[in-house]
Amino acid sequence: MPLTGQSSSDRLQSWSTHGIKSTDQFAYFREAICRAFTNLAPEKPASIDFPATLEHIRIGCGALNRLAYKNYVVHRSLPKAASTSARCFYLNLKLAGDCNIRLADRELRQDSGQIALFDSARGFAIEHKKSSSFGVASLQIPTEALNQRLSTPDDVLPTRISDDPVLGPLIAMSMKTLNLNAARMAEIDSVKLFDVLLDLVALSYSRREYRGVRETSSIAHATTLAVHQAIETRIRKPGLQVSDIAASVGISERYVHMLLAKNGTTFSDHLMQRRLEGIAADLRDPKNASRDIGSIAFDWGFAELSHFSRRFKQRFGVRPRDWRG
């Protein structure tokens, strides 16, 4: 049957077996996954129906593929790998369920939340274990894009990158941010984040395999991104401390202060700025017209109304009730 994907933009294509005849669902999905990825061979499941969705988001020379599906096994045999000119790496973030990645010389278990790197030039089989649902965000990386970041490029062995005690949290934060925002970010921004993520992956792989990696300032940029993201996700928490952010990112409190200082700010100033901006937006939002100003301020982490009102006027030049209009 002909394969047609739905496009919500020139960068995004999506496929779903919803509405497809049950007996045709797996064939439809198999054709979609081979189009979005490269010459894979998923095994047909025992059941007839196969609910699944797939999104393909272009990111410069790479792509992000998001899949949600039920239990199945996918193969990429050595003959298929050898016959494909478009070699690439896959960086897979498991969103739901768990699986085993089997290769000739090793096997990796990947649970939900873990990130694994492997080379499409190697034959492999991904076996998903019995569960109600599975999901994966797979970053498709052109071979040269990763190899050029390694001072001694070589065959990349399958590696659970998220296990890295130093860089793992940064890689996870960057990968999750890209997965959540790639479709709505400007492409130039998604490409920048993509490059930062590859810098981190290259450094992590080099540390694990005792190979060299070219120095790059992107590591500091990626860490700064992780710090900002950690603040954003906790910004409404009363009494938020720099120690909370340092622990979530996996770095020292001193390093958090240093990174923010490079951007000309401090932790307390940045937190105050972002909270006031959030409150200002909420006050102008018609959906909040009936909400008390104090309630909005408390919702953004302020503990004292007088302190909030004073800082709001310092920032915007008017009292909160005058800002609301």
Side-chain angles (χ1 to χ4, degrees), residues 20-275:
I20 304 295
K21 187 178 178 182
S22 294
T23 54
D24 294 332
Q25 285 182 352
F26 183 74
Y28 179 90
F29 176 77
R30 181 174 55 200
E31 190 174 350
I33 195 174
C34 289
R35 177 175 292 188
F37 287 88
T38 172
N39 210 7
L40 301 177
E43 290 183 5
K44 189 173 183 178
S47 60
I48 295 176
D49 63 316
F50 191 80
T53 60
L54 168 61
E55 287 184 322
H56 176 82
I57 306 166
R58 191 185 73 245
I59 304 177
C61 60
L64 178 68
N65 296 294
R66 283 198 292 253
L67 296 91
Y69 44 83
K70 63 186 299 183
N71 186 27
Y72 82 109
V73 178
V74 62
H75 290 279
R76 180 172 170 83
S77 65
L78 284 173
K80 285 185 178 293
S83 66
T84 304
S85 59
R87 179 188 173 191
C88 65
F89 294 107
Y90 296 119
L91 187 68
N92 283 5
L93 166 63
K94 209 76 175 68
L95 300 175
D98 58 286
C99 67
N100 284 337
I101 304 171
R102 298 198 312 271
L103 298 101
D105 53 352
R106 66 170 61 187
E107 180 173 322
L108 283 181
R109 176 186 171 91
Q110 188 180 5
D111 296 329
S112 179
Q114 294 180 330
I115 300 173
L117 173 72
F118 51 101
D119 188 348
S120 73
R122 292 174 171 266
F124 60 79
I126 302 177
E127 180 178 354
H128 298 85
K129 299 188 175 181
K130 292 182 179 180
S131 179
S132 58
S133 63
F134 295 90
V136 65
S138 179
L139 198 62
Q140 198 168 333
I141 306 168
T143 303
E144 182 58 27
L146 184 59
N147 279 346
Q148 69 183 359
R149 287 169 163 82
L150 301 171
S151 58
T152 56
D154 200 351
D155 287 339
V156 174
L157 300 174
T159 306
R160 201 163 50 223
I161 293 290
S162 52
D163 287 355
D164 188 320
V166 177
L167 296 176
L170 299 180
I171 292 171
M173 182 77 72
S174 300
M175 183 72 176
K176 291 174 182 177
T177 300
L178 189 59
N179 175 51
L180 290 173
N181 299 291
R184 61 175 178 261
M185 293 172 71
E187 185 170 10
I188 188 171
D189 293 330
S190 65
V191 169
K192 288 179 181 177
L193 182 53
F194 177 86
D195 288 340
V196 166
L197 182 54
L198 295 197
D199 287 335
L200 288 167
V201 169
L203 179 58
S204 176
Y205 184 80
S206 298
R207 279 161 35 85
R208 293 169 66 90
E209 301 296 332
Y210 303 101
R211 292 180 172 89
V213 65
R214 295 191 180 101
E215 291 296 327
T216 172
S217 62
S218 292
I219 303 303
H221 294 321
T223 312
T224 302
L225 174 68
V227 166
H228 283 211
Q229 184 68 21
I231 292 173
E232 290 298 313
T233 58
R234 297 164 178 80
I235 198 166
R236 295 173 184 263
K237 176 184 176 182
L240 183 64
Q241 300 292 323
V242 68
S243 58
D244 300 323
I245 304 305
S248 69
V249 178
I251 58 179
S252 68
E253 295 179 35
R254 180 181 178 185
Y255 194 38
V256 173
H257 288 304
M258 186 181 74
L259 291 172
L260 292 173
K262 286 184 177 180
N263 289 333
T265 188
T266 64
F267 174 76
S268 58
D269 286 347
H270 177 76
L271 182 62
M272 179 63 65
Q273 174 83 357
R274 292 294 300 118
R275 283 177 168 171

